[in-house]
Amino acid sequence: RFKIDAIPWVTFTAPEVARVGMTEGEAFDRFGAAARVVDFPLAKVDRAIVENATDGFIKIIAAPRAGLRSLAGGRFVGASIVAPHAGELIHEISNAMNAGAFPARVALATHAYPTWSMAVQQAVGALFLDVNDIQARPACVG
């Protein structure tokens, strides 16, 4: 069954702006500090560095899964991406939300190096451990 909150939107500017699901503020309103957020700057992404396109970020928002809390990262509830190709990158989170996939599945997926899509994997990986000095934090009010 398709989930309406998993429909992404994109604004085709330079860089592109893409979003799916809840904002951090919406996640905080619903889940409080139990929602976790990763703010992953493009300056930490090798592909962005190579292309000299380090202005932007990937924000991943996860929340506890009923009955499982945060095991395997809980569940995706939102993401925002400001980056070149953000319109293509947002689909990985949108698809995971629609499928109800655990964030751990995205973090452990194999991505070619160095690609833009690997940036999403790195950002999701920061829900679990330190990735290039970036770690998840509790959600807060916008």
Side-chain angles (χ1 to χ4, degrees):
R1 184 180 132 162
F2 188 77
K3 298 175 183 170
I4 193 89
D5 60 342
I7 298 173
W9 62 260
V10 181
T11 303
F12 294 98
T13 54
E16 294 176 5
V17 178
R19 199 184 91 185
V20 64
M22 296 180 183
T23 65
E24 179 177 355
E26 291 167 340
F28 181 82
D29 289 344
R30 182 154 177 207
F31 304 104
R36 295 182 353 214
V37 177
V38 171
D39 294 300
F40 205 88
L42 291 188
K44 301 282 186 174
V45 176
D46 289 347
R47 182 60 181 256
I49 294 167
V50 167
E51 291 192 20
N52 196 30
T54 56
D55 292 334
F57 62 89
I58 297 172
K59 179 180 275 197
I60 304 294
I61 305 164
R65 190 181 287 258
L68 297 176
R69 294 187 298 254
S70 290
L71 294 175
R75 63 186 173 110
F76 292 111
V77 295
S80 298
I81 302 175
V82 176
H85 314 290
E88 279 77 30
L89 298 175
I90 199 69
H91 291 109
E92 189 161 9
I93 302 303
S94 174
N95 288 337
M97 288 174 66
N98 197 49
F102 287 106
R105 289 208 180 255
V106 174
L108 294 172
T110 302
H111 290 71
Y113 174 86
T115 59
W116 282 104
S117 63
M118 189 173 173
V120 173
Q121 177 193 27
Q122 290 175 304
V124 173
L127 287 168
F128 305 98
L129 49 89
D130 181 299
V131 177
N132 293 341
D133 298 322
I134 306 297
Q135 296 178 339
R137 60 174 174 77
C140 59
V141 177

